[in-house]
Amino acid sequence: DRCDQEIGGEGERGMTTRASNPFRSAAVWVSFLVLAGAAIALPATINAMRLRIDKKPIYPQSGLTLEAIPTETESFIRVGTDVREEAEVESVLGTKNYVTRAYAEKNPPPGKEPRILQFHAAYYTGSIDTVPHVPDRCFVGGGMQIGEILGNLQLPLDTSRWRVSDDVPERWHGRIHTVRLSNQYSSAPGTYVHLPLDADQTKLRTMKFIAEGQTLFAGYFFVANGGLAARSEDVRLLAFNLEDHYAYYVKVQFTSNDVETGDELAELAGRFLNEQYGEIMRCVPDWTEVEAGRYPPDNPKRQSGAT
């Protein structure tokens, strides 16, 4: 009996081993074949649909970096010097193409001191993963507290100097404008520059911060592959369109402790953009040219005969 029990026990273990072997299951083999087939078919499908998962870096036709944005306009003038971070901080920021600059109003409201507007912009291109460097993350990490999230505020832009551009893809007709650069303050006086898609709908994601009893208002938006996003979560949707070969985005950020409300920050930022929006766009690729295949020179859309 003892021998029978040992043999029987060994037999049961053997049956269990054979029964648990996944490669003896027909269902597992079917699943394996399906996955293998998908692995073979997926790249072919991606190529056939002209989808692009890996993105190439791209830079502006002008060759300008963000530091080229004018230090003076009709209404604003730089105060002090631009801030350049140490190498360690730049490594965390993830780019060396940025500008951090303070502007003062030239003509403040009667009886008021000139308000100071801190302007920051940073350019990223290529394989973009996340967008971590926004005030609601960095400022909080630096010890500030969010007093209030005011949401995405519409910027009160003056569109009287804008023109609707006809030289754009058909699906964008009526939604792309150009703006004329200043004769006095621009390094390309009188030039017309394409603005982002639906630029009249530019919104500033705005919030109030508190630190050591003082308040600071901050707001930002993004231009990514020629489109606009107010939230960092939406940048990937623009910059990672699967039909695009290239990807870029620029974060545009404003802060001030000389304003008392989020609407006042939006008003001040809107006045600044009325004079500098085109200059910012000179420092990023003209996406209408990219879509048409005319830029950059190695654009596959050019090679495929796109116009």
Side-chain angles (χ1 to χ4, degrees), residues 28 66 78 141 170 177 191 235 288 294 298:
V28 170
L66 292 165
R78 180 174 65 179
E170 184 176 354
H177 293 79
T191 302
V235 171
T288 63
R294 295 189 289 265
D298 63 348

Side-chain angles (χ1 to χ4, degrees), residues 5 12 21 43 71 88 142 205 234 253 278 305:
Q5 290 173 1
E12 291 172 0
N21 187 340
T71 58
E88 182 179 350
R205 183 157 184 80
D234 295 333
Q253 177 179 304

Side-chain angles (χ1 to χ4, degrees), residues 122-198:
Y123 183 86
Y124 299 85
T125 186
S127 297
I128 301 165
D129 295 322
T130 59
V131 186
H133 305 293
V134 289
D136 34 328
R137 299 175 190 174
C138 295
F139 286 12
V140 171
M144 294 186 180
Q145 295 180 338
I146 296 180
E148 186 179 2
I149 295 179
L150 302 169
N152 304 334
L153 303 184
Q154 177 73 48
L155 289 176
L157 298 175
D158 178 8
T159 62
S160 61
R161 295 169 52 204
W162 298 10
R163 293 182 179 178
V164 174
S165 177
D166 296 326
D167 188 22
V168 297
E170 184 176 354
R171 66 184 183 280
W172 290 346
H173 279 181
R175 300 174 61 193
I176 296 283
H177 293 79
T178 62
V179 63
R180 189 177 186 275
L181 302 183
S182 169
N183 285 335
Q184 184 176 358
Y185 299 104
S186 179
S187 62
T191 302
Y192 279 89
V193 178
H194 281 117
L195 295 173
L197 185 69
D198 298 325

Side-chain angles (χ1 to χ4, degrees), residues 60-304:
Q61 296 94 314
S62 66
L64 297 176
T65 63
L66 292 165
E67 287 183 307
I69 294 171
T71 58
E72 184 177 3
T73 70
E74 291 87 346
S75 304
F76 295 89
I77 188 167
R78 180 174 65 179
V79 178
T81 58
D82 294 355
V83 176
R84 296 301 300 180
E85 304 293 348
E86 297 180 356
E88 182 179 350
V89 177
E90 285 186 348
S91 177
V92 174
L93 184 62
T95 181
K96 293 184 178 182
N97 184 1
Y98 65 91
V99 60
T100 303
R101 181 180 294 166
Y103 288 88
E105 290 180 291
K106 286 183 175 180
N107 301 298
K112 299 286 187 178
E113 292 293 324
R115 291 173 293 181
I116 303 298
L117 182 67
Q118 296 282 348
F119 169 68
H120 171 76
Y123 183 86
Y124 299 85
T125 186
S127 297
I128 301 165
D129 295 322
T130 59
V131 186
H133 305 293
V134 289
D136 34 328
R137 299 175 190 174
C138 295
F139 286 12
V140 171
M144 294 186 180
Q145 295 180 338
I146 296 180
E148 186 179 2
I149 295 179
L150 302 169
N152 304 334
L153 303 184
Q154 177 73 48
L155 289 176
L157 298 175
D158 178 8
T159 62
S160 61
R161 295 169 52 204
W162 298 10
R163 293 182 179 178
V164 174
S165 177
D166 296 326
D167 188 22
V168 297
E170 184 176 354
R171 66 184 183 280
W172 290 346
H173 279 181
R175 300 174 61 193
I176 296 283
H177 293 79
T178 62
V179 63
R180 189 177 186 275
L181 302 183
S182 169
N183 285 335
Q184 184 176 358
Y185 299 104
S186 179
S187 62
T191 302
Y192 279 89
V193 178
H194 281 117
L195 295 173
L197 185 69
D198 298 325
D200 57 328
Q201 297 301 311
T202 305
K203 293 180 173 63
L204 194 70
R205 183 157 184 80
T206 311
M207 53 209 67
K208 176 182 178 181
F209 292 88
I210 301 173
E212 299 180 354
Q214 296 186 339
T215 60
L216 173 75
F217 286 87
Y220 57 85
F221 68 92
F222 303 89
V223 181
N225 283 22
L228 287 168
R231 303 188 313 153
S232 58
E233 294 84 354
D234 295 333
V235 171
R236 286 175 59 86
L237 298 177
L238 293 174
F240 271 82
N241 183 328
L242 291 177
E243 295 182 0
D244 291 338
H245 293 82
Y246 307 92
Y248 85 87
Y249 76 87
V250 60
K251 178 188 68 173
V252 180
Q253 177 179 304
F254 302 96
T255 60
S256 179
N257 54 15
D258 286 343
V259 299
E260 298 180 357
T261 66
D263 288 334
E264 188 179 351
L265 178 68
E267 179 270 329
L268 199 60
R271 285 178 52 205
F272 180 90
L273 286 177
N274 285 337
E275 299 166 357
Q276 296 276 44
Y277 214 154
E279 297 290 350
I280 294 171
M281 296 306 295
R282 283 187 72 208
C283 299
V284 304
D286 184 338
W287 207 250
T288 63
E289 295 294 295
V290 177
E291 282 291 302
R294 295 189 289 265
Y295 181 80
D298 63 348
N299 191 336
K301 292 186 178 182
R302 176 199 300 264
Q303 299 168 6
S304 64

